[in-house]
Amino acid sequence: MKKLKPKQIAAIICIVLLVLLYVATLVVSLLDFPGSDRLFAACLMATIGLPILLWIYIWLYGKYTERKTFENPSRTNGNHQRHNTRK
């Protein structure tokens, strides 16, 4: 079995949490109980905030390990730059 990287584990956890948040938001929107409006707003804010927190985690992970991440693709382990020689 292939070992999962920390970034992959964080992404899988984020996907599961987002799906649970979507289901919770739907359920809260259909039910009417005291405080449901605040719970609905909290679910919506968490749906926005969770991917942002994941991006911050991946960014910090890239800074800490000095590896290339999707937010900083210019960072490489060597000096490999693509040059276009056609004119």
Side-chain angles (χ1 to χ4, degrees):
M1 185 172 168
K2 185 178 176 183
K3 184 180 175 192
L4 294 176
K5 297 177 184 175
K7 290 190 295 187
Q8 291 172 326
I9 293 170
I12 291 169
I13 291 171
C14 188
I15 290 169
V16 170
L17 289 175
L18 280 174
V19 169
L20 291 174
L21 278 170
Y22 292 145
V23 170
T25 304
L26 178 66
V27 169
V28 169
S29 69
L30 296 175
L31 299 177
D32 187 24
F33 57 89
S36 64
D37 55 341
R38 289 178 30 193
L39 186 57
F40 179 76
C43 287
L44 288 178
M45 291 302 295
T47 301
I48 294 168
L50 191 62
I52 293 171
L53 288 175
L54 178 65
W55 181 86
I56 291 171
Y57 167 76
I58 292 172
W59 177 74
L60 286 174
Y61 179 79
K63 291 286 187 186
Y64 178 73
T65 60
E66 296 182 359
R67 293 186 181 168
K68 182 174 80 169
T69 61
F70 63 85
E71 57 83 16
N72 191 5
S74 64
R75 180 176 292 192
T76 59
N77 292 337
N79 190 11
H80 303 290
Q81 293 182 356
R82 187 184 300 181
H83 296 285
N84 190 357
T85 57
R86 287 188 218 163
K87 292 185 180 181

